[in-house]
Amino acid sequence: MEVVHKFCHKHILGLEQLSPDDIDFLLRSAASFKEISTRQIKKVPALRGRTVINLFFEPSTRTRLSFEVAAKRMSADTFNISASTSSLKKGETLIDTALNLAAMKPDIIIIRHSHSGSPGLLAKHTKASIINAGDGTHEHPSQGLLDMMTVLEKKGRIGGLKIAIIGDIAHSRVAHSNIIGFTKMGANVSVSGPATLLPMGIEHLGATVCSSVDEAVEGADVIMALRIQSERQKDPLIPSLREYATFFGINKRALTLAKPDALIMHPGPMNRGVELDPDLADGPHSVILDQVTNGVAMRMALLYAIMGGGEG
Amino acid sequence: MPQSLLLKNGRIIDPANNIDSPGSLLLENGKIKSVYLGDYANSPQGECQVIDASGKWIVPGLVDMHVHLREPGEEYKETVESGTRAAASGGFTAVACMPNTSPVNDNEAVTTLILAKAKKAGFAKVYPVAAISQHSDGSRLAEFGELQKAGAVALSDDGRPVENSQLMRRALEYSTNFDFLLISHAEEMTLCGDGVMNEGPLSTRLGLRGIPRIAEEIMIYRDLALAEYVNRPIHIAHISTRESVDLIRRAKLKGCQVTAETTPHYFTLTEEAIGDYNTAAKMNPPLRTLDDRQAIQEGLEDGTIDAIATDHAPHSRAEKEVEFDLAANGIIGLETSVPLALALVRDKIISPTRLVELMSVNPCRILGVKGGSLDQGASADVTLIDPDLTFTYEEKDVVSKSKNSPFLTWSLQGKAVLTILNGKITFDAL
Ligand SMILES: [Zn+2]
């Protein structure tokens, strides 16, 4: 007999707070929501009458759009607030913003913010459910979940797989959520990149730190290349993007070290030819567009679960 | 008619006179009249207020050598009046206030203003620490002679380090002419970057930028080396790491003229207090690890660390109820220093005598000010401590104008219950 898991989180602040059962529940739920996106009429009434606010303090097209599409397919009313089109940058504090939004009685606020921990601060000052759509260098839980969903879909399992995450681990909330999530689900996560971009104590999140990219990708089932931001040259964390591409970029040679059926992933947006060889990005190993498709399904699952749809 | 006050039958702890004994203390006309050891049965002659001190410690007035009173410039956080009132309620009869006000205390006018405000308030002696460099911007020396004449007791650019090593060297050299003590806020700024907490696994997990411990240690090493090179004393403020303690221990063994202070939060808390982005646990230097806390306690025990100072740093809600990255550094500490230090006594890490050395005798000696003893004829600055009293530290009880403490809601044991300054009661919780 299958035991129905009860999902009882009000907020999604990070994968750190979710149990393997919670993650498993979301992965299954997202798989069933994915079917909706293939219908001619891509809409279900699950969140009819619910108000969802997209509160984005950092520019983002992909994630914001993905959440918006997810909410609309669930029939929720959605509103977008971004820093450039509001008073958010004119001296109003996050708590002021929270109190103002609370007055509009939203059910869910999806927040992206450049400061780690902001979603939790928002959660303390409003009654709405909060979904973290990326906070500083902390977590990006929906991305971690959609990455796990993509791997599960392609590999049939997560447990026991070797996941190599390459690049700017220090500044990547995607890497953090993926390390936490994949480790919780029984995968082995190896990380590598320039030592300047591997944060102190990353192994405490469950990752194995490899001193070379080759070591990290050897025998890997999944290779995830992270976006390298050009500002890192100035910091100074890397000498140049050219040198980065040569020594840390994922190319065809690196792929030969991985399992023959290895998946290539990238959370986007991509610097083609820097962290990832363009041929690989568009090649048969790449599941980058599957990640985008699954993003909508996973975000539908998240919205549904925190609105009580997780009760068995 | 002489004004007399008798603190009767308490435990007198006066390390400067080698006393830890049951006894009574008679104050008269703002001075210490006499110390009676043993049971005091007689009634004093003439009119005298008698306070029953049984079960309590009678100690020389406590001195906090590192506070921020925020006046002039940030009176919404604290004033000389509110800060010294908080000091008195924490058992302090004197505080040394740091110069990072607005304007910076780099001139006679600001020093004079602080002293005048302190005198008017009458809650505690205030010893201004003036700036090393003009505007504390690290480019030119402040006018040491002028500042000393105005009443400054020491110099520091606290709030920030003197980044330029040449300027620090010159400051140490020039301080010779005035026998002025320099206090080092040790922080190598390029290593700190825009860090907001101790660098390590926890900062990685929380996604917060780290401040490496070496940022503190390298600067302590530089300042010790400079002070030794020019043969001048130096005082290192708010040390927080194991290696900082070791550096000072080694310098002392070599015979260098170095003293150091730490704060109650470094010997009580670890970085874990940040928990879920709690800005009340954000300060600079940041809270460190369990191992560092252990080392700080060892340093307090073995004499490497000379003083407990609070680094009392009031901030309003506006500076603290924000994202962790944006929150101001610092916590208030005057009202919790005694109970937190008493926890070390209960844990047998320090003796009661050592506590009084750390919180009264040594700060006075380091700053070169009077106080720190119950000498006959000395100013009647006395603190009465109830080591057993338990209480919950709640926001409504905070005397300081600001409430930014990580110890709110803590159950604490031990408290100053009576504070006497120049023979006058400045705080009475009896
Ligand atoms: Zn300081």
Side-chain angles (χ1 to χ4, degrees), chain A residues 16 93-95 113-118 121 124-125 135 137-138 176 199-202 204-205, chain B residues 199-209 212 276-278 318 320-326:
Chain A
E16 197 184 341
T93 68
L94 183 59
I95 293 175
H113 200 292
S114 56
H115 295 304
S116 301
S118 313
L121 187 64
K124 283 190 192 109
H125 290 88
D135 62 329
T137 53
H138 176 225
H176 290 188
M200 189 177 278
I202 191 72
H204 292 259
L205 291 186
Chain B
E199 181 172 66
L202 188 61
S203 65
T204 295
R205 184 164 74 74
L206 292 171
L208 293 173
R209 288 181 300 276
D276 187 20
Y277 304 93
N278 178 12
K320 283 294 194 179
E321 288 189 356
V322 291
E323 296 87 326
F324 197 90
D325 284 338
L326 305 180

Side-chain angles (χ1 to χ4, degrees), chain B residues 66 68 158-160 184-186 237-238 284-285 311:
Chain B
H66 193 135
H68 298 269
D158 187 60
R160 58 203 290 184
S184 162
H185 165 114
H238 44 57
N284 187 21
D311 198 4

Side-chain angles (χ1 to χ4, degrees), chain B residues 3 24 40 54 75 107 147 166 196 224 230 234 281 285 306-307 333 358 383-384 395-396 408 419:
Chain B
Q3 291 273 316
S24 304
Y40 186 79
S54 53
E75 289 83 355
N107 63 74
L147 288 162
Q166 181 71 308
V196 295
L224 291 175
V230 302
I234 190 154
D306 301 272
L358 289 162
T383 304
L384 199 62
E395 187 168 328
K396 65 175 172 53
L408 288 175
T419 310

